[in-house]
Amino acid sequence: QEGGPTICGMPLKYVSLVTLAVQNAALSIVMHYSRVSTPASEAYSPASAVLLNELLKGTISFVIAFLRMASASDASNRGFLGWWSSLRRLCREIFSPDCWKLSIPALLYVVQNSLQFVAIGNLPVATFQVTYQMKILTTAAFSVMLLRKRLSSTKWMSLFFLAIGVGIVQIQSSSTTHIPARQEMPVGSAHESAPLHIHIMSPLKGFGAVTAACFTSGLAGVYFEMVLKNSKADLWVRNVQLSLFSLIPAILPIFWESSPTYYRDGFFASILHNFGGWAWATVATQVLGGLITAIVIKYSDNILKGFATSLSIVFSFLASVALFGFRITPSFMIGSTTVLVATWMYNQPPGKELVTITGVIPV
Ligand code: C5P
């Protein structure tokens, strides 16, 4: 029997890993569609999406942290004063002297969340999904540097294979330079017969953004794990601190964009400018992802998180075939398979790690 908290009788650790894999697949598709389905003049602002994400995630984490604190101190049986003292205690914890530690991953995650929009708007869904797996490499490197984790030669070898797999997918995608958005429309959707919006993709820009996002992902994830596991503070309090520090870098680009609508319509109305169903779906999926990621980092670790997200390649590919009529190429097959085999190798338990050309020799 697994230790740790459970949900409906199942270990939270595994429920969160599987949910994260599904969420990752959904996010690439929803985000990509939200960016390419409208002409540039009607596009929502990614900066607004990043800010709304942090506001919602922070609010949800605050409510969870408050309810947990109130139930621990049995506030409901002590009436208003009970709730009030829980609220004061929570605020003291949020603004504790070590809260500044969260400013580093907060800044990194805001940069990463913004880069994701650049990447997803310039690469096909499946290519983005596979290339983004490079974050397993950066996460491993930062785990070795910051958490002093030791990696066996098999694990390094699997990382090498992972890089090759990601490279193969890159090569096949770089040969496609301009892709009209209509190719990405759901099969049979109303948009299929709509006038063609030519959304010019720039794979070079997309790969640049995804590479930078891999670095911020690895560093921020490992740093968050270090802060979480080196202190007793509640996960949800840490999440509130993370969102609070994220608000500053998330709000700056909004003023920087300084669209005339900010002055004409007011701050909130202009943030929500062009925010349709797909934009809201993107933000909701990101919020869910942020919350699950925090749970995964707490109850598993960043390495297992990488495994879960690699699984999402499979989900995302199946969904792309069904929704966008995505056609599979042999190099995509080879690249994706290499990534998946490398991920499997990386997650082999100790004792099964000696690998030869013909298979795995138990030691
Ligand atoms: O791609 P990666 O797994 O690094 O993405 C992690 C995502 O989870 C980021 O969007 C980040 O903002 C979010 N996150 C969060 N709260 C945490 C940890 C990560 O919202 N505690």
Side-chain angles (χ1 to χ4, degrees), residues 135-154:
K135 65 188 172 182
I136 297 183
L137 271 172
T138 55
T139 303
F142 285 117
S143 297
V144 169
M145 281 190 274
L146 299 177
L147 295 172
R148 304 259 170 256
K149 280 199 177 152
R150 281 172 168 271
L151 293 181
S152 65
S153 49
T154 310

Side-chain angles (χ1 to χ4, degrees), residues 65-316:
F66 176 61
L67 293 178
R68 279 167 63 85
M69 195 155 279
S71 82
S73 59
D74 204 18
S76 54
N77 287 334
R78 295 190 289 124
F80 177 76
L81 279 181
W83 292 103
W84 179 243
S85 80
S86 296
L87 188 63
R88 286 183 49 186
R89 247 187 71 206
L90 176 60
C91 290
R92 267 200 306 275
E93 279 200 22
I94 291 171
F95 297 103
S96 62
D98 74 344
C99 69
W100 65 268
K101 286 181 183 167
L102 275 298
S103 61
I104 296 162
L107 177 64
L108 290 168
Y109 275 139
V110 169
V111 171
Q112 176 184 336
N113 290 343
S114 310
L115 285 170
Q116 256 181 306
F117 279 98
V118 178
I120 205 86
N122 287 290
L123 293 173
V125 176
T127 310
F128 166 76
Q129 190 75 30
V130 178
T131 319
Y132 202 28
Q133 298 313 307
M134 251 198 315
K135 65 188 172 182
I136 297 183
L137 271 172
T138 55
T139 303
F142 285 117
S143 297
V144 169
M145 281 190 274
L146 299 177
L147 295 172
R148 304 259 170 256
K149 280 199 177 152
R150 281 172 168 271
L151 293 181
S152 65
S153 49
T154 310
K155 289 204 190 307
W156 282 119
M157 202 157 72
S158 62
L159 292 175
F160 178 70
F161 282 133
L162 183 75
I164 291 180
V166 169
I168 295 171
V169 179
Q170 272 191 0
I171 291 164
Q172 69 119 31
S173 150
S174 303
S175 55
T176 328
T177 38
H178 299 318
I179 300 140
R182 194 154 136 212
Q183 285 182 3
E184 311 285 338
M185 298 291 178
V187 179
S189 77
H191 292 280
E192 241 191 351
S193 53
L196 184 63
H197 311 307
I198 302 292
H199 174 89
I200 305 297
M201 289 183 175
S202 160
L204 200 66
K205 197 170 162 189
F207 280 128
V210 89
T211 306
C214 285
F215 275 93
T216 54
S217 166
L219 181 55
V222 171
Y223 200 97
F224 186 73
E225 186 175 341
M226 205 167 70
V227 173
L228 208 59
K229 292 182 177 167
N230 286 347
S231 78
K232 286 211 168 76
D234 185 62
L235 165 69
W236 301 103
V237 172
R238 289 300 191 203
N239 261 358
V240 176
Q241 294 171 331
L242 190 70
S243 283
L244 280 178
F245 277 110
S246 300
L247 288 182
I248 306 159
I251 226 163
L252 285 180
I254 291 186
F255 289 116
W256 187 60
E257 276 178 5
S258 68
S259 143
T261 55
Y262 291 143
Y263 304 103
R264 199 187 58 214
D265 305 334
F267 186 67
F268 278 102
S270 55
I271 282 183
L272 298 179
H273 187 61
N274 283 341
F275 241 77
W278 282 103
W280 278 115
T282 303
V283 170
T285 319
Q286 275 184 317
V287 169
L288 179 71
L291 298 173
I292 305 167
T293 300
I295 297 175
V296 165
I297 294 178
K298 161 107 182 158
Y299 295 107
S300 308
D301 61 27
N302 276 291
I303 308 287
L304 268 174
K305 178 166 90 54
F307 178 63
T309 47
S310 294
L311 257 183
S312 75
I313 297 173
V314 179
F315 291 123
S316 147

